[in-house]
Amino acid sequence: MDPSFWKGRRVFLTGHTGFKGGWLALWLQHLGAQVTGFSLEPPTRPSLFEVALVGRGMRSLQGDIRDADALTQAMKSAQPEVVMHLAAQALVRPSYQDPHGTYTTNVIGTLNVLLAARQAASLRAMVVVTTDKCYENREWERGYREEDPMGGHDPYSSSKGCAELLTASMRASYFPPAEHARHGVAVASARAGNVIGGGDWAVDRLVPDILRGVQATGVAELRHPSAIRPWQHVLDPLAGYLILAERLHAQGPAFGEAWNFGPEEADAWSVRQVADRVVSAWGDGAGCRESGGGGPHEAHWLKLDASKARQRLGWRPRWDVGQAIDRTVAWARAHARGGDMRKFTLEQIVEYGTCM
Ligand SMILES: NC(=O)c1ccc[n+]([C@@H]2O[C@H](COP(=O)([O-])OP(=O)(O)OC[C@H]3O[C@@H](n4cnc5c(N)ncnc54)[C@H](O)[C@@H]3O)[C@@H](O)[C@H]2O)c1
């Protein structure tokens, strides 16, 4: 990653009031980018956006990506060189309760972002963020590769598979790599696994649920203790998105495709292993117990093969899952102590940057 690339760079970021978008907004601010965010209100209370004062160093717009006119206006006035699209209904369980809202946000919203981007004459690079769940899950033991088929059992996963297909179609239709000299825009999609880090208060995500449990009662409940997931610190995939955007900007169509950003093989831990590490890092006699499963369908086995990003982007994860959990628990501890969370979050970004 080249920090100087981002100095003064105009970036349009959707989802900046969310967990990953909040971290990315702070990282971009730290690098000196001119960031315009476009999102609904923070999806949780508390939120990283509020406790780390994310809106302070950027232009923060409140808007709905389903509103094509408002989005296009915002894009026109920001004239970004880079678009990072992270806004989404990002959870599996709410997608069963509101499939319509999930598909309209994740599919039509993504369509609107791609079409609005056509109005930004200055645009050079666009990264559309989806998920490892976009793949048709066959419970394979090998990691999913970029060319594997899209799918998705639940509405969230399927909506992200749709967003991938849509992004490929928009690229072919409006930003064809063969005509890059004419339009000058390169579009890629990015798929990452389960992300952990401070400032995530989403319900039904493992680490936030465990932290809520240990802070409330000293005991965390586990639904699917043997499920295997590829765990990584939020800064790892975000570093991948930043490197990808730089390459798209500098070298255009050679990088305009789909990319996996997953952890090392050894970081595919079971829910039980993650929970044990979180409660031991928290201390204070915290523990966890199985709550007997239940809930909607969840894939048991899901890993990503990120060898393409390693080989062609030179990206690799910096913090293993144990280090990622320790940073996450340290963040939660600092917040519980009433610390300055903007400063603390920026310090973790700097610490991460020094190992790049
Ligand atoms: N957190 C993870 O573990 C994980 C894993 C894989 C992929 N992802 C993807 O990364 C992205 C960010 O996820 P997150 O964890 O930060 O989610 P989040 O729920 O914390 O944040 C979602 C963001 O999208 C915004 N948003 C939602 N609907 C919107 C709409 N209709 N219009 C405008 N803004 C809207 C919210 O306001 C918020 O800023 C998503 O695309 C998600 O699918 C997340």
Side-chain angles (χ1 to χ4, degrees):
M1 198 182 134
D2 172 14
S4 66
F5 169 85
W6 294 98
K7 194 148 187 60
R9 190 76 61 192
R10 293 187 306 280
V11 181
F12 192 92
L13 169 64
T14 71
H16 70 293
T17 60
F19 163 55
K20 283 172 75 175
W23 277 91
L24 185 55
L26 284 177
W27 199 346
L28 287 165
Q29 290 173 32
H30 171 69
L31 292 169
Q34 294 178 43
V35 187
T36 299
F38 185 93
S39 309
L40 292 178
E41 283 185 6
T44 58
R45 283 238 146 73
S47 66
L48 179 66
F49 183 77
E50 284 165 347
V51 306
L53 307 172
V54 172
R56 190 189 266 178
M58 63 184 291
R59 188 163 158 246
S60 175
L61 304 177
Q62 192 174 317
D64 192 325
I65 56 170
R66 292 167 292 188
D67 180 347
D69 291 341
L71 183 58
T72 304
Q73 269 317 111
M75 192 78 79
K76 270 185 184 163
S77 85
Q79 282 302 316
E81 299 154 274
V82 177
V83 171
M84 309 286 250
H85 173 41
L86 278 77
Q89 192 301 97
L91 294 167
V92 171
R93 214 176 265 225
S95 81
Y96 283 103
Q97 286 144 14
D98 183 14
H100 189 266
T102 300
Y103 280 102
T104 48
T105 294
N106 295 357
V107 186
I108 303 304
T110 299
L111 174 67
N112 290 339
V113 173
L114 279 150
L115 293 179
R118 294 180 69 207
Q119 307 298 319
S122 50
L123 182 67
R124 294 289 167 269
M126 178 157 176
V127 177
V128 175
V129 171
T130 67
T131 171
D132 55 354
K133 295 188 173 70
C134 67
Y135 291 106
E136 183 183 332
N137 193 305
R138 299 178 179 179
E139 302 284 337
W140 281 333
E141 290 206 15
R142 74 156 174 84
Y144 288 81
R145 300 187 191 113
E146 284 84 351
E147 66 275 15
D148 286 329
M150 296 292 98
H153 179 109
D154 60 88
Y156 167 69
S157 305
S158 153
S159 73
K160 287 292 189 169
C162 293
E164 282 284 348
L165 297 174
L166 166 78
T167 302
S169 161
M170 292 296 108
R171 177 171 50 231
S173 304
Y174 301 115
F175 308 110
E179 294 170 33
H180 184 262
R182 174 180 59 77
H183 57 75
V185 180
V187 179
S189 62
R191 304 158 182 174
N194 287 350
V195 175
I196 61 176
D200 189 4
W201 277 278
V203 175
D204 270 343
R205 279 192 189 146
L206 180 67
V207 174
D209 283 348
I210 295 171
L211 287 170
R212 257 189 297 272
V214 297
Q215 288 180 74
T217 63
V219 180
E221 307 270 348
L222 305 182
R223 274 205 320 272
H224 299 281
S226 59
I228 308 281
R229 294 282 182 276
W231 304 99
Q232 57 189 341
H233 193 272
V234 61
L235 291 173
D236 268 332
L238 296 185
Y241 306 163
L242 292 171
I243 294 168
L244 178 56
E246 282 177 31
R247 298 290 193 287
L248 290 168
H249 193 279
Q251 291 164 61
F255 293 88
E257 51 196 63
W259 298 85
N260 285 343
F261 295 101
E264 309 282 358
E265 178 83 5
D267 292 326
W269 279 18
S270 71
V271 164
R272 161 62 70 179
Q273 284 174 295
V274 171
D276 286 345
R277 178 75 176 229
V278 173
V279 297
S280 109
W282 185 266
D284 290 348
C288 49
R289 64 166 172 253
E290 292 183 26
S291 68
H297 167 93
E298 285 187 36
H300 181 78
W301 187 264
L302 182 55
K303 281 192 286 185
L304 279 182
D305 180 339
S307 40
K308 185 171 99 167
R310 273 162 232 257
Q311 284 154 21
R312 290 184 49 207
L313 297 174
W315 170 87
R316 64 180 174 83
R318 300 285 149 171
W319 286 343
D320 66 26
V321 60
Q323 293 170 309
I325 291 170
D326 292 348
R327 264 55 170 211
T328 306
V329 173
W331 197 103
R333 279 278 189 204
H335 179 252
R337 280 197 308 271
D340 176 340
M341 297 319 294
R342 182 177 170 91
K343 184 163 169 279
F344 195 91
T345 310
L346 286 166
E347 281 168 3
Q348 287 198 332
I349 289 171
V350 170
E351 183 195 0
Y352 182 89
T354 58
C355 23
M356 284 187 77

